[in-house]
Amino acid sequence: MDGAAIVEQLMTEDGRNDPYPLYELARGLGPVSRCGEDMIMAVGHREVNQALRNAAFVVADSDLRERWEPGFADHSSKLMLSRSILESNAPHHARMRSLIASVFTARRVAALEPAVVAAVHRLLDEMAEQGADGSPVDFMDSFAFRLPVGVICELLGVPEADRYRFRSLASDLTAALEIIADDSELVAADEAADELSSYFAELAAQRRAHPQDDLVSALVQVAATDEARLSEPELLANLVLLLVAGFETTTNLLGNGLALLFDHPEALAGLRGGTLTPAGFTEEVLRFDSPVQLTSRISLTDGLRIGEVEAPYGTGAFLLIGAANRDPVRYEHPERFDPSRRDSQPLSFGGGPHYCLGAQLARLESNVAMPALLARFPALAPGGEPVRRDRLVLRGYQTLPVVVQP
Ligand code: HEM
């Protein structure tokens, strides 16, 4: 199979369900290979890392999309994402990122730990109640989604009553991050973008009038002190991004982690018994079944390469994070799930200028949640067939039934 056929297969339902055999086919073509006219794909750890860190490989921002994707701005989902840091390049990226980083600090995240612990125990209580009669409980809905949404909403300052309606809105919006052939698939994403944007416009207005100790108030204040540094549409786009990036991915980290524990009883016993550390477990879940499987970049400079493959002006590059995390050049027995690995450094949070702002928060949530879940339910077991979400970029489960009580 050539590179183009592999990418085509990745976009089918079977490919999305289990992309790993296709990644190995791609690896057979080399760490970087051509996959279409002006398109290359990277599957090597070194090569993906190198491209992520090279700021000359840019993301598809609004200027580029205007040029190459006429009509993109008719989709409010795409337009909104293109105003966020995720889809901006220098100088706008650095300007917005430094403002957001100034309020989304390591200290603010570390201070959340007691709230994370409390939320974990509250959700475990609810699961215990739901499954007390031995009936299956959906781990995704009852826990994996609720924990991160609760935590990010706490951080942002979104009132408790509003939180749970975000699951379907966020899920609809993330369709705009997938590689899709047909823009008609974006109707729900556009509606979600409009609704989320109006929601945050209202919340920002409230916080402008009555500031509180939360991230929305802090961002509104920096935006107000220097309008030129963060416009209103940028403020809203980045608030929506923080909300969506903050739980879609972490939900999948928790779900993928539990599914791996069920498949690897020795890891489950090790985590329960304390011979494996929660941090080592989390890193290995990130490596083995990354919640973000790929990202892409564009070369706007002649003379660039990824690995040995040239990427002249106008070349698009798929950076297959999920494949790089299983590169045999970088990892011994990459196909083995082994939470005792040292020095794992998966690329699941990206790298370089767009390195994930929430990596510390996501790790904190997983490190607290997974041992607490096992400690709370000594007989935790699968409660039915799990169903994967039909997505490639954001990889996770739609449902993952468990029984908490025999
Ligand atoms: C397991 C959980 C997570 C994973 C796997 C993940 C993964 C990633 C990746 C791969 C990128 C870079 C994308 C690229 O280079 O194109 C990224 C960026 C980002 N992430 Fe995360 N993320 C996670 C959790 C979070 C959380 C909890 C938050 C916020 C609370 C967050 C906020 C962001 C933001 C704002 C960016 C954009 C940074 C920029 O463009 O400068 N993420 N994330």
Side-chain angles (χ1 to χ4, degrees), residues 4 16 27 35 39 85 90 143 162-163 200 237 260 282 291 359 361 401:
R16 286 189 289 258
R27 209 183 305 287
C35 60
M39 283 303 299
I85 50 173
F143 191 93
D162 298 337
R163 295 178 184 175
F200 278 107
L260 283 165
T282 299
L361 181 58

XYZ file of all heavy atoms in Angstrom, residues 4 16 27 35 39 85 90 143 162-163 200 237 260 282 291 359 361 401:
142
model
N -0.559 7.363 0.142
C -1.889 7.951 -0.065
C -2.975 6.949 0.326
O -3.976 7.306 0.966
C -2.044 8.363 -1.522
N -10.123 4.155 11.686
C -10.231 4.969 12.904
C -10.322 4.069 14.131
O -9.801 4.386 15.188
C -11.472 5.862 12.825
C -11.302 7.021 11.862
C -12.449 7.989 11.981
N -13.686 7.444 11.444
C -14.195 7.749 10.264
N -13.596 8.613 9.488
N -15.325 7.214 9.849
N 5.148 2.883 8.513
C 6.544 2.797 8.981
C 7.386 1.998 7.974
O 8.569 2.273 7.797
C 6.593 2.147 10.364
C 7.766 2.622 11.187
C 7.871 1.917 12.536
N 6.696 1.980 13.382
C 6.282 3.069 14.029
N 6.964 4.189 13.911
N 5.203 3.038 14.784
N 2.512 11.065 0.890
C 1.178 10.448 0.941
C 0.205 11.211 0.071
O -0.991 11.215 0.322
C 0.697 10.336 2.384
S 0.567 11.892 3.241
N 1.951 16.351 -0.010
C 1.631 15.884 1.347
C 2.660 14.844 1.787
O 2.996 13.943 1.019
C 0.262 15.191 1.384
C -0.957 16.093 1.365
S -1.006 17.301 2.692
C -1.021 16.292 4.151
N -5.359 30.018 20.041
C -3.908 29.799 19.936
C -3.588 28.513 19.174
O -2.582 28.446 18.496
C -3.202 29.760 21.316
C -3.902 28.826 22.281
C -3.066 31.124 21.891
C -3.122 28.661 23.586
N 2.995 32.791 14.701
C 3.661 34.034 15.099
C 3.175 35.168 14.189
O 2.941 34.930 13.003
C 5.178 33.859 14.950
N -17.961 9.057 34.979
C -16.707 9.480 35.615
C -15.759 10.193 34.650
O -15.380 11.346 34.880
C -15.999 8.251 36.212
C -14.852 8.629 37.101
C -15.021 8.773 38.479
C -13.592 8.861 36.571
C -13.970 9.156 39.290
C -12.530 9.238 37.382
C -12.719 9.379 38.747
N -24.322 24.568 34.783
C -24.170 24.632 33.315
C -23.287 23.528 32.745
O -23.190 23.361 31.538
C -23.548 25.979 32.918
C -24.437 27.141 33.303
O -25.652 26.922 33.464
O -23.914 28.259 33.457
N -22.595 22.772 33.643
C -21.475 21.961 33.164
C -21.827 20.786 32.270
O -21.165 20.553 31.270
C -20.669 21.438 34.359
C -20.033 22.606 35.081
C -19.265 22.194 36.301
N -18.790 23.411 36.968
C -18.161 23.441 38.108
N -17.898 22.301 38.734
N -17.765 24.569 38.635
N -19.987 31.942 26.505
C -18.825 32.606 27.119
C -18.903 34.131 27.009
O -18.362 34.829 27.870
C -17.514 32.052 26.553
C -17.120 30.771 27.235
C -17.233 29.550 26.594
C -16.679 30.780 28.549
C -16.899 28.358 27.236
C -16.347 29.601 29.208
C -16.458 28.385 28.554
N -12.791 32.709 21.644
C -12.262 31.502 20.983
C -11.350 30.736 21.942
O -11.395 29.501 22.011
C -11.485 31.889 19.733
N -7.190 -0.222 29.165
C -5.879 -0.902 29.164
C -5.685 -1.713 30.445
O -5.106 -2.802 30.414
C -4.750 0.119 28.994
C -4.590 0.628 27.550
C -3.724 1.877 27.480
C -3.992 -0.480 26.665
N 0.241 6.610 33.961
C -0.325 7.658 33.102
C 0.543 7.877 31.854
O 0.028 7.973 30.737
C -0.463 8.978 33.899
O -1.359 8.746 34.994
C -1.003 10.104 33.051
N -4.534 9.980 23.494
C -5.838 10.611 23.259
C -5.820 11.554 22.049
O -6.857 11.828 21.472
C -6.092 11.410 24.538
C -5.208 10.788 25.573
C -4.004 10.276 24.842
N -1.023 20.008 30.055
C -0.396 18.702 30.317
C -0.332 18.396 31.818
O -0.662 17.289 32.258
C 1.005 18.677 29.705
N -2.198 19.545 34.191
C -3.541 19.319 34.740
C -4.060 17.919 34.369
O -4.612 17.206 35.215
C -4.493 20.401 34.210
C -5.932 20.340 34.701
C -5.991 20.412 36.223
C -6.764 21.465 34.098
N -18.697 0.215 29.753
C -19.481 -0.246 30.910
C -18.609 -1.009 31.908
O -17.760 -1.813 31.505
C -20.525 -1.188 30.292
C -20.362 -1.093 28.814
C -19.017 -0.531 28.530
